[in-house]
Amino acid sequence: MGAVAARKDSENPEDPQGSKDSKDSKEPKQDRSRATRRRLLEAAVACLAEHGWAGSTVAVVAERAGVSRGAAQHHFPTREDLFTAAVEYVAEERSTALRALAPAGPTRRREVVEAVVALYTGPLFRAALHLWVAAADEEQLRPRVTELEARVGREAHRMTVELLGADESVPGVRETVQGLLDMARGLGLATLLTDDTQRRNRVVAQWARILDTVLG
């Protein structure tokens, strides 16, 4: 009986070496689990950006990440879990990059505008757009994506205000900051079809001048 119990302990997928493992021996396993999760999230975003919702199955993502489908489903039981977590993960990565910028003075406002535009013109935005389209038809996915995008939008607005040192109690400032974010989203849509770099650079420069005028 004791031998059977010991064997079952050793077969526990959460503790493959038995319950007598030390804390040190468990830490590498935890590190591997985190690394696997990160690979799956990155692969999911890349697949969604390249193939859209229809072409991005759990099996496709698992293959791209170099893990088994079972391992993928261990971390993310459903397809919806995987892709909403993936877009949220990269959104947080972009938010971290924005937070790393120092508050802007007048000479650095263009840099802030460029960083905000980059938030909406990279792989994250392309992946998020595919997720929005899917959510329009998938009842199970829609509330999760709606909540995620609202949270990302609020965080982007808050960080932009902070980076610009903007005082939203001044009439017109809040609308100007929101206009910047809406403009960046529009540039992201234009980038989906063509290389819009030259026009985008001119628009970014103009928005930096608008901010100088409005913020002083």
Side-chain angles (χ1 to χ4, degrees):
M1 184 73 175
V4 172
R7 186 168 65 252
K8 287 185 177 180
D9 282 343
S10 68
E11 292 171 354
N12 182 350
E14 298 300 324
D15 188 10
Q17 296 182 1
S19 59
K20 294 183 180 180
D21 282 344
S22 68
K23 181 179 178 181
D24 289 342
S25 67
K26 289 182 179 179
E27 285 178 348
K29 180 174 181 261
Q30 293 169 351
D31 291 341
R32 289 195 299 273
S33 180
R34 284 192 293 267
T36 297
R37 188 176 191 277
R38 184 184 181 103
R39 288 203 308 274
L40 284 165
L41 293 174
E42 292 174 345
V45 170
C47 287
L48 199 58
E50 293 175 13
H51 307 301
W53 175 258
S56 299
T57 64
V58 174
V60 169
V61 172
E63 182 178 1
R64 183 169 188 141
V67 304
S68 69
R69 181 170 181 171
Q73 290 178 321
H74 171 73
H75 287 277
F76 304 101
T78 70
R79 187 185 185 197
E80 290 79 9
D81 289 335
L82 172 60
F83 285 104
T84 52
V87 175
E88 184 172 15
Y89 161 74
V90 183
E92 179 57 32
E93 291 289 295
R94 295 301 303 151
S95 296
T96 298
L98 281 179
R99 284 194 291 267
L101 293 175
T107 59
R108 296 193 63 239
R109 283 178 184 146
R110 175 161 180 165
E111 183 180 347
V112 174
V113 175
E114 289 173 344
V116 170
V117 168
L119 181 67
Y120 290 99
T121 54
L124 166 63
F125 183 78
R126 185 181 293 270
L129 184 60
H130 284 297
L131 201 60
W132 297 347
V133 172
D137 297 322
E138 299 281 343
E139 291 289 341
Q140 186 176 359
L141 193 59
R142 189 181 306 158
R144 303 174 70 173
V145 174
T146 300
E147 189 278 333
L148 170 62
E149 289 304 320
R151 181 149 43 91
V152 170
R154 288 192 299 269
E155 179 70 1
H157 186 102
R158 184 192 66 77
M159 287 189 299
T160 302
V161 168
E162 181 178 329
L163 287 169
L164 292 171
D167 181 358
E168 291 194 296
S169 68
V170 176
V173 169
R174 180 175 180 79
E175 291 75 13
T176 300
V177 173
Q178 190 57 54
L180 167 61
L181 293 169
D182 291 342
M183 177 275 297
R185 190 177 294 110
L187 290 177
L189 286 170
T191 302
L192 289 174
L193 297 176
T194 61
D195 182 357
D196 205 37
T197 304
Q198 290 187 351
R199 186 174 73 90
R200 185 165 70 245
N201 288 340
R202 293 195 299 271
V203 173
V204 164
Q206 178 61 22
W207 263 97
R209 289 191 288 268
I210 291 172
L211 288 170
D212 286 341
T213 299
V214 174
L215 302 182

